[in-house]
Each structure stands twice: as C-alpha cells, then as structure tokens.
Amino acid sequence: MAKMNLLQAVNSALTTAMTNDKRVVCFGEDIGKFGGVFRATSNLQEKFGKARCFNTPLTEQGIAGFAIGMAAQGHIPVAEIQFADYIFPAFDQIVNEAAKFRYRSGNQFNVGGLTIRTPYGGGIAGGLYHSQSPEAYFTQTPGLKVVMPSTPYQAKGLLLAAIRDPNPVIFFEPKRLYRAAVGEVPDEEFEIPLGVAEVVKEGSDITLLSWGAQMEYLQAAAAMAEADGISCEVIDLRTLLPWDVDTVARSVKKTGRLLVTHEAPLTGGYAGEIAATIQDHCFLYLEAPISRVTGLDTPFPLVHEKEYMPDQYKIFEAIKRSINY
C-alpha cells in the first residue's frame, strides 16, 4: 500500500470514482486547474477534462442547487463547499430539497448520487469563519447521511462509499489533518461501510468516543490514561448519521463509563444526542455520568484557539473525573 496523507487519500478516492464511472463529476469554487484551496482536486481537470471537473461561481446555494439538479437527472455530482463555515447559504437546498427529494415523491425520483465534500474544524488559526464544526446542524435531518473520517485510510474508503451510497451524503473532512495525518492507503478501490463505527483500541475501564480530527486528541489522552493504569476502549464513530448505536452500547455495557468529545460547542452538540441514547440503552450499566468534552459555547476565537480546543489534556482530566466518580 502507498503512504498518503489525508488530502492525497481524498484525491485518490475522487480519481478512482471518476475513472470507474463517467457519471461522476466534481465542481466547486477554484477546484479546477487550481485544484481547490487545499489542493484536494489537484490534476483532476487535467485527467478528466473541464466537463467533469470545473469551477463554479462563488455561490454555495447555487453549488448545492446545481448538484441536486444533476443528481436528479442521473449524474453523480461531488460538490465541494470550500469551507464548512460557508455551507450555511446552501442549508435550505441541502435540508429542504436534497434530504426530502425521495420522500416527497414516494420514491419515484431521488438525488441519491449527491455527495457534498467540505473541510471543517479548527487548529489552523483560521478564526471564526474558517474553523467551525457544523455537523450537528445536519444530523437532525432525515434523508441525509453525515460522514467524518479521521485517517487517510478512512478518507478514501468512506468517500468512495459515500459517492456510491444511494442517499445524499455530507462528507466533512478534517482540514487540520489534511497533511498532518499520514498512513497506508491501498492504491486500488475499496469501501468502508457507512454507519459502522471502528473500535480502534479495546479496553475495560472507560469508553472514549469521537470522530474526525478529534480522534488525534482522544488517542493521545487514552495513552496518558493508560500510563496511569486506566484501560481505555477507543471508538471512532466515522459516520454520525446514521450512527452505530450497537457498537457503542456494547462497549459501554462492558466498561460502565462513556466520554464523548468533539470540537463543536457543548450546547446542541452531537455528544448530547449520543449521551441521551446511551443512557437509554445502558442506564443500569453506568458507573458514572456520561462525560462531554467539547468546544466552548462561543464563536470560534482566533487569539484563544488553544484555550477553545478540547485537547488531550482536557480529555485526560475528564477521564480521571469519571474514573474517580
């Protein structure tokens, strides 16, 4: 297997999808010859031509609406929103059109070929307009799938699965890890099933759960806890909608404790949905309250980014509080 960073893995997945199916088209702001602001689409226009990889005007609502129209006519559009912070002008198109297309027609037509890629999250000194984690805005929307990889291997396997899934998918890419995360990735095509979590490490004292870029901090905190004699089971959720309740519940019934961490703010964050569901499934097994380690309930601060981020030190302190409860 080749060694790739996460950005190269995304590019490899797009290349594979476009090579194997001529219906796959990529478009977004500056993604053509320029290759996108992070270069995720580098060389795709040269390989597949301007008809299958092209720039759009600066209109996120237009990008989403155009992608919905293409998907409705049988194409497989992979649209890029340059930053997840800018997905909000497209919110109506995604939530009220794409997600409901199949349902409102009684399954007579759909936009299942639609995938929307977008980089999310902090850690790059991007300030309040280039650092947000808006995944929870979409997880309350029946008809969508929401996917967030954490490694290059996952990025390729999950993106290929998302492109081929018969439902519209929002694919959030952790931009902090674009070049920082490096790993072995098969050159050939493969898929990772959507809706299936990965048990990264087995343990017995506490279950640690996250997704995307936050997995780096979570695993660092788990290593710190292990050095203190605390056995941590680490789970990467990978898909938020639908999420793998069974895998997480099975782990919590074994460990008796759960900690969930994400970059997004605490209030209304997806950790709350997970906590409510797990206490419903595992109430009599819990040895401590479910812990949430998250971003702050403030706009994302440029100057205080380090204080905002729920890093391994905050997670480690929460692990100790749960164990000592």
Side-chain angles (χ1 to χ4, degrees):
M1 292 190 287
K3 281 238 175 186
M4 299 183 191
N5 62 32
L6 198 144
L7 199 59
Q8 292 167 326
V10 168
N11 186 272
S12 178
L14 294 172
T15 300
T16 299
M18 296 178 78
T19 299
N20 293 345
D21 193 332
K22 292 183 178 180
R23 297 175 299 165
V24 178
V25 293
C26 295
F27 50 87
E29 297 165 4
D30 301 319
I31 78 157
K33 185 177 181 180
F34 188 61
V37 67
F38 293 105
R39 307 298 187 269
T41 54
S42 291
N43 301 315
L44 294 185
Q45 190 174 88
E46 288 82 351
K47 291 177 182 176
F48 302 103
K50 293 182 178 180
R52 295 185 62 202
C53 181
F54 53 88
N55 295 334
T56 67
L58 304 183
T59 166
E60 286 77 16
Q61 184 180 26
I63 292 169
F66 183 69
I68 289 167
M70 291 195 76
Q73 296 300 313
H75 291 278
I76 302 176
V78 183
E80 178 182 299
I81 302 297
Q82 195 170 80
F83 287 88
D85 312 62
Y86 301 152
I87 205 168
F88 300 114
F91 194 79
D92 177 64
Q93 288 291 319
I94 296 169
V95 170
N96 278 332
E97 302 299 337
K100 297 173 174 62
F101 222 83
R102 188 193 306 274
Y103 179 82
R104 74 181 189 185
S105 73
N107 202 31
Q108 292 184 69
F109 48 87
N110 67 80
V111 292
L114 171 63
T115 300
I116 296 176
R117 299 176 38 252
T118 188
Y120 83 95
I124 65 163
L128 69 167
Y129 288 126
H130 298 82
S131 304
Q132 296 175 76
S133 299
E135 64 270 16
Y137 287 100
F138 297 96
T139 53
Q140 202 185 12
T141 307
L144 295 179
K145 292 190 176 183
V146 178
V147 180
M148 302 181 76
S150 66
T151 67
Y153 182 86
Q154 286 185 18
K156 181 171 182 178
L158 290 170
L159 183 52
L160 282 170
I163 292 169
R164 294 163 181 168
D165 193 272
N167 299 280
V169 179
I170 312 296
F171 193 85
F172 288 102
E173 298 168 4
K175 60 179 178 285
R176 179 168 63 84
L177 301 184
Y178 264 157
R179 292 179 174 85
V182 179
E184 291 187 338
V185 181
D187 287 318
E188 65 274 10
E189 71 166 87
F190 69 99
E191 296 181 25
I192 297 174
L194 304 187
V196 179
E198 177 186 1
V199 179
V200 177
K201 176 187 171 299
E202 294 191 355
S204 57
D205 294 332
I206 186 170
T207 299
L208 309 180
L209 176 66
S210 194
W211 50 86
Q214 197 63 14
M215 286 300 300
E216 182 182 42
Y217 290 142
L218 189 69
Q219 292 182 82
M224 295 168 69
E226 294 282 346
D228 266 13
I230 303 169
S231 176
C232 300
E233 181 138 306
V234 179
I235 299 179
D236 188 339
L237 201 56
R238 302 195 296 197
T239 302
L240 274 66
L241 188 66
W243 69 283
D244 189 351
V245 178
D246 291 342
T247 293
V248 179
R250 186 164 53 247
S251 174
V252 173
K253 287 178 180 178
K254 177 176 69 172
T255 65
R257 294 176 173 85
L258 174 64
L259 181 150
V260 188
T261 179
H262 56 63
E263 277 188 39
L266 175 70
T267 302
Y270 201 56
E273 171 62 28
I274 293 170
T277 301
I278 292 303
Q279 69 85 24
D280 192 40
H281 283 71
C282 307
F283 184 75
L284 295 179
Y285 294 84
L286 291 172
E287 300 290 343
I290 296 172
S291 301
R292 292 180 290 166
V293 182
T294 70
L296 305 178
D297 285 343
T298 70
F300 200 101
L302 175 60
V303 176
H304 298 294
E305 183 173 60
K306 287 185 178 180
E307 287 76 13
Y308 178 95
M309 296 293 282
D311 61 17
Q312 63 265 39
Y313 303 107
K314 293 180 182 179
I315 297 169
F316 178 50
E317 291 302 319
I319 290 172
K320 291 190 291 184
R321 286 195 298 271
S322 181
I323 292 295
N324 294 326
Y325 179 79

